[in-house]
Amino acid sequence: MPNVLLAVSGGVDSIVLLHQMVAKGIAVGVAHVHHGQRRASDEEYRFVERLACAYGVPFHGTRLELEAASQSAFREARYAFFETVMREHGYRELMTAHHADDVVETVLIQLHRNVIEVTGIPERRPFGSGTLVRPLLDETKQRLIEYAEHHNLEWREDATNAKTDYLRNEMRHLIIPKLQAEWPTLVQDVCTAARLNREIWQRRYAAMADWMARHIRFEMKAFHVKLATLATLSEEERHVLGRLLSQRFGVQVAEGMTRLMRSKRGTGVYDVGGDFRLEKRDGSLALTERGRLSIPSPQRVETLPERVTFGEHVVSLEVTDGGRGFPLDALEWPLYVRAPRPGDRISLSVGTKKVARILIDAKVPREKRALIPLLVDASDRIIAIVGIRVSDFPEKSDARCPRLMVK
């Protein structure tokens, strides 16, 4: 059973890679993707299929059905196919024919896009359930052509590679040749610099993995870290931390972490997708699972005194003859303890105010606001936001009448 899957487009780079792997006696399979965008793609598909047959290796082909898609969309679909083939046929490695000239193009694109990690193309990285390997990164395009000509290999040229309407092709045909005219060792120098920079970033990732173990409290679907500790990290270290945490939890936390740290507010929430969000509060940053809130049902109160359990809260209702509390004869019975609803307003001495605004001002975390108990009477007039604010509706009773105390 072949263990290595080769991505073969039919161009000289992948044709050389296939020839070299077979010459070394490595058991391989061939994967080819027909992008459905050019007439020549039909012939290229048949060419690669015949070549695989000639070499006596398995062939796996597909045709994409994407209309007017972007280059990144085609790339995602292409690699999704490779991953599927690997999973269904037991391949452990995917090999692609990226070479030294590709590294230079990638570095220039990364610089153009202001990418933090300017590292070119890695020799290998995890892919699906296996590994993506690029064994030709030390070879220039010219040397690959010379190899193909020396061994009388046949290949196909993709006519779209000559166009300059994509950034990579613009780098390849317009910018890099001008640089090489003044800098003959461009490819070698850039590849060396990219490799050294990759090694620096690899050390950063290893160091930050150790830092995480010492400074972050992990739970199954959450983590907690002190903001003061995060503030000691450099921009590069925080970038690595964001990448590592994103990989661990399967959501993108880097942008949310940056925004919440830059915010001058003491609290904040940032949705990172799915059922997760980042929360900033009490001097810490935490990733929490939003989940589904289980809001308690309204509780009816007909007699006093009474103790009402509402979720995690216990509401104590007592009668007093003192001057504090709500006059019982001003209330419409029965009373209810319920959760806040959209549009709820409470009466204050200066008018009314939204319950939601009061909860925000009281710095009640967003996920807990729907669980705060409200005491209301039969007319749905809010008597109290329990533990936070009481109503100031006008006094109309004798100060010595029985009164309701809410705790």
Side-chain angles (χ1 to χ4, degrees):
M1 175 69 69
N3 194 43
V4 179
L5 180 67
L6 303 185
V8 180
S9 66
V12 64
D13 318 327
S14 59
I15 293 301
V16 168
L17 177 62
L18 174 59
H19 184 271
Q20 290 184 346
M21 293 302 107
V22 172
K24 291 178 181 179
I26 297 176
V28 301
V30 167
H32 177 79
V33 177
H34 184 318
H35 291 84
Q37 300 297 298
R38 298 176 296 113
R39 288 185 178 180
S41 296
D42 292 334
E43 195 280 328
E44 290 166 0
Y45 186 100
R46 293 191 295 269
F47 165 68
V48 175
E49 186 175 24
R50 290 195 306 270
L51 193 61
C53 182
Y55 279 118
V57 301
F59 173 79
H60 311 277
T62 190
R63 177 179 177 130
L64 301 181
E65 301 294 339
L66 301 178
E67 295 294 335
S70 65
Q71 290 291 301
S72 61
F74 278 114
R75 183 185 185 282
E76 289 177 7
R78 186 165 63 248
Y79 277 85
F81 170 69
F82 297 152
E83 186 174 352
T84 299
V85 173
M86 291 177 67
R87 182 177 63 253
E88 293 180 350
H89 297 273
Y91 292 102
R92 299 300 301 165
E93 286 187 352
L94 170 68
M95 280 191 183
T96 65
H98 292 92
H99 48 77
D101 294 58
D102 293 323
V103 174
V104 177
E105 294 166 11
T106 300
V107 167
L108 292 179
I109 291 172
Q110 290 172 340
L111 290 170
H112 175 74
R113 293 175 175 169
N114 199 29
V115 173
I116 294 178
E117 294 184 46
V118 182
T119 55
I121 304 175
E123 291 88 351
R124 58 177 54 233
R125 67 171 177 84
F127 179 76
S129 58
T131 307
L132 171 58
V133 182
R134 302 177 176 101
L136 301 181
L137 290 183
D138 290 332
E139 301 292 336
T140 64
K141 178 81 168 188
Q142 183 57 39
R143 285 209 297 265
L144 294 178
I145 293 174
E146 292 171 357
Y147 178 99
E149 291 174 341
H150 177 74
H151 290 87
N152 296 314
L153 301 181
E154 183 182 356
W155 69 88
R156 297 292 184 268
E157 293 287 353
D158 183 344
T160 62
N161 287 336
K163 298 180 179 180
T164 57
D165 47 352
Y166 297 117
L167 179 58
R168 182 172 291 276
N169 284 4
E170 184 179 359
M171 293 287 185
R172 179 178 303 165
H173 298 298
L174 301 180
I175 297 176
I176 292 177
K178 293 180 180 179
L179 290 173
Q180 285 182 305
E182 301 294 331
W183 184 0
T185 58
L186 170 72
V187 175
Q188 178 183 348
D189 293 347
V190 171
C191 287
T192 298
R195 183 172 59 253
L196 293 175
N197 210 28
R198 280 198 301 275
E199 293 172 357
I200 292 173
W201 280 99
Q202 288 168 358
R203 290 194 292 271
R204 284 188 179 129
Y205 275 89
M208 286 312 302
D210 179 67
W211 185 94
M212 288 167 54
R214 290 183 287 111
H215 295 286
I216 297 184
R217 178 163 57 89
F218 288 103
E219 299 173 12
M220 183 175 294
K221 293 185 178 181
F223 70 78
H224 303 265
V225 59
K226 293 186 179 299
L227 289 168
T229 304
L230 281 177
T232 65
L233 300 178
S234 67
E235 181 181 357
E236 291 80 9
E237 289 170 333
R238 284 199 297 271
H239 167 80
V240 172
L241 177 63
R243 292 286 300 275
L244 291 174
L245 291 173
S246 297
Q247 292 170 8
R248 180 166 183 153
F249 291 95
V251 292
Q252 296 300 319
V253 305
E255 181 179 354
M257 183 169 64
T258 298
R259 290 195 178 188
L260 290 175
M261 289 187 67
R262 289 177 178 174
S263 172
K264 295 181 180 180
R265 297 173 61 91
T267 61
V269 176
Y270 187 93
D271 288 325
V272 295
D275 291 330
F276 291 93
R277 62 184 174 190
L278 281 173
E279 296 184 51
K280 175 185 178 182
R281 69 172 185 269
D282 301 328
S284 295
L285 189 71
L287 178 74
T288 59
E289 188 175 22
R290 182 174 22 248
R292 294 183 178 178
L293 293 176
S294 179
I295 300 176
S297 300
Q299 303 294 311
R300 184 183 177 105
V301 178
E302 295 184 339
T303 60
L304 297 175
E306 183 69 273
R307 286 172 62 85
V308 178
T309 300
F310 187 84
E312 298 179 354
H313 301 269
V314 176
V315 182
S316 178
L317 304 175
E318 301 175 0
V319 178
T320 178
D321 291 328
R324 299 176 59 198
F326 300 94
L328 293 182
D329 60 4
L331 304 177
E332 296 186 32
W333 291 80
L335 307 182
Y336 295 89
V337 177
R338 66 165 175 82
R341 297 170 181 165
D344 274 342
R345 303 184 76 92
I346 188 170
S347 295
L348 304 176
S349 58
V350 293
T352 64
K353 190 171 184 177
K354 286 186 176 180
V355 170
R357 184 72 256 173
I358 291 176
L359 295 178
I360 292 172
D361 293 342
K363 295 183 170 32
V364 177
R366 180 180 298 183
E367 75 278 5
K368 295 183 178 181
R369 294 172 196 164
L371 304 176
I372 297 295
L374 304 185
L375 178 64
V376 303
D377 68 5
S379 68
D380 210 32
R381 178 174 52 178
I382 296 174
I383 301 168
I385 306 172
V386 180
I388 296 175
R389 192 69 181 267
V390 296
S391 174
D392 294 329
F393 57 82
E395 176 70 62
K396 294 182 179 180
S397 301
D398 189 322
R400 290 172 293 179
C401 74
R403 291 174 175 266
L404 172 66
M405 293 292 294
V406 184
K407 297 180 181 179

